[in-house]
Amino acid sequence: MIETTSAALAVSSPETRAGFARIERSIAAHDAVMESLEEMNTIEIGGAPPARRPLAFPFTAAAWNLERCLFPEESAAHLGVTGASLVLLSEMDNGMARTGQRHPTAEIAVALGMQYAYGVEFIELGLGSDTEREFCKDDFNEKGFHGNALMATAPLDRPFLLRLWGERLWFMDGGDQPRVGERLAIGAVIETRAGPFVAIPTHLESATTAAYRERQVKELIDALDATFPGLPVLIGGDLNSGNHIGGDFEAEGLFAMSAERGFTRHGGPIDGMTTRPSLITRWPKRAMKLDWFLARGLKIGKSHIIPSLDPSGRPLSDHDLITCVVEGFA
């Protein structure tokens, strides 16, 4: 578990990043490089300085896969309407040509008056898919970072980053999106007036099997239990449930396994899908229900799916936003 923090992540030189393409395609060679990169072993902490005030129940939590985050201002406004005090984000670019070399996580956090913790899931070795390249004004990435973020109006205590189990699929054969890195969970302890809990945004692997994702969640829970024994937990994000297995989210063993470990799941109406066509993903094969909260030791009220459309009807992501009301400790 990574606990080192910084106000700004290190950035490998373009020459170093170009050399990643020549690394032997093996997990051992990949991980040796990962261990040497400061940016892959550090959590960036930034945003608006939080007041030292704990959250008061009830509060709203939001989870959103922002699909690179093409539109930080509009995305911040969309989140602001929910009134969320806790925000869990995935697929957040930082220094990528397709998103104007911006750091959308930092911009959204400042707009919402939140502190953030950001971790790099992947260093992108290219400019992305054909549709993503249409948004590039540069032919290079300043940083090449792509990751997950946690934001809150309360301080983020004991921030941590955990790389999920995986087979380095995007390094071994990333197609038009070659990457160095692995899926991750990033989190922190959040104080409430009634005591602390742990909040974790995560993003499970898409291009794989249900058993693969179940192992990712199992080992995440194992790590949380070892590091934060007895604390309530809220996990949220894109669990990719049903992806590459016909869209059947109920075929995911991770739900039964997490229920055995004391977790309940929440994701709006059970028949409500959370994906949609976007400016990047224009012709999805099917609508799927990928996005969920998993909660233990917390009483969760209503959960909702909020269409990811700005006031003009333009999609902000290929995922809709999900929210839940955290009413108190169970």
Side-chain angles (χ1 to χ4, degrees):
M1 194 168 282
I2 294 166
E3 298 176 316
T4 302
T5 63
S6 175
L9 296 177
V11 181
S12 293
S13 69
E15 294 76 18
T16 297
R17 282 180 273 146
F20 294 160
R22 298 188 292 273
I23 300 169
E24 173 193 334
R25 287 308 189 260
S26 71
I27 291 177
H30 170 277
D31 289 359
V33 169
M34 285 275 287
E35 290 177 10
S36 72
L37 298 174
E38 184 178 340
E39 60 266 43
M40 303 303 275
N41 294 281
T42 306
I43 305 160
E44 181 175 297
I45 303 293
R52 295 299 305 186
R53 290 195 300 270
L55 295 183
F57 292 123
F59 65 84
T60 297
W64 198 5
N65 177 327
L66 259 170
E67 195 189 24
R68 291 55 168 138
C69 198
L70 292 172
F71 309 108
E73 295 93 342
E74 293 86 346
S75 298
H78 201 61
L79 283 163
V81 170
T82 70
S85 300
L86 182 69
V87 174
L88 297 79
L89 299 178
S90 55
E91 290 201 14
M92 299 298 291
D93 275 359
N94 179 359
M96 289 289 298
R98 64 196 176 198
T99 41
Q101 312 289 8
R102 299 168 72 173
H103 191 350
T105 296
E107 295 181 42
I108 291 173
V110 170
L112 296 178
M114 294 185 172
Q115 187 176 49
Y116 73 82
Y118 176 81
V120 180
E121 192 169 64
F122 298 110
I123 295 178
E124 301 267 359
L125 306 186
L127 300 180
S129 65
D130 289 343
T131 53
E132 289 171 325
R133 287 171 180 265
E134 294 176 18
F135 294 94
C136 297
K137 294 181 180 179
D138 299 325
D139 61 358
F140 65 94
N141 298 317
E142 289 183 355
K143 301 176 183 176
F145 296 164
H146 186 65
N148 300 340
L150 172 65
M151 301 180 185
T153 56
L156 305 177
D157 295 330
R158 298 179 63 187
F160 64 91
L161 184 155
L162 179 70
R163 296 206 177 273
L164 304 181
W165 174 84
E167 297 174 345
R168 321 301 186 265
L169 301 179
W170 297 89
F171 175 71
M172 297 301 190
D173 183 13
D176 61 358
Q177 299 181 59
R179 307 168 180 173
V180 168
E182 189 54 275
R183 302 293 184 182
L184 64 81
I186 188 167
V189 174
I190 308 292
E191 287 289 344
T192 76
R193 293 180 183 175
F197 73 99
V198 186
I200 309 102
T202 194
H203 187 192
L204 304 186
E205 184 52 61
S206 56
T208 191
T209 64
Y212 192 114
R213 288 185 284 269
E214 181 179 349
R215 178 171 175 179
Q216 290 185 317
V217 175
K218 177 187 179 300
E219 295 190 4
L220 170 59
I221 295 172
D222 288 345
L224 293 172
D225 286 351
T227 308
F228 305 102
L231 286 189
V233 174
L234 182 67
I235 300 169
D238 178 3
L239 303 190
N240 270 306
S241 46
N243 216 339
H244 284 254
I245 58 169
D248 182 7
F249 63 86
E250 294 292 15
E252 295 281 347
L254 70 89
F255 292 123
M257 180 275 299
S258 60
E260 290 175 358
R261 303 288 292 270
F263 285 83
T264 57
R265 72 177 185 182
H266 311 270
I270 196 66
D271 59 350
M273 303 296 105
T274 63
T275 61
R276 65 171 50 253
S278 71
L279 300 187
I280 293 174
T281 307
R282 299 170 186 172
W283 306 281
K285 294 180 180 179
R286 66 177 67 85
M288 293 185 288
K289 192 172 185 67
L290 304 182
D291 304 272
W292 302 86
F293 294 101
L294 300 176
R296 183 175 68 188
L298 294 165
K299 183 180 179 182
I300 305 298
K302 291 184 178 180
S303 61
H304 299 278
I305 301 168
I306 300 174
S308 293
L309 302 173
D310 71 11
S312 72
R314 179 181 60 181
L316 300 173
S317 172
D318 63 337
H319 287 246
D320 283 338
L321 165 67
I322 62 170
T323 65
C324 71
V325 176
V326 183
E327 297 181 340
F329 292 131

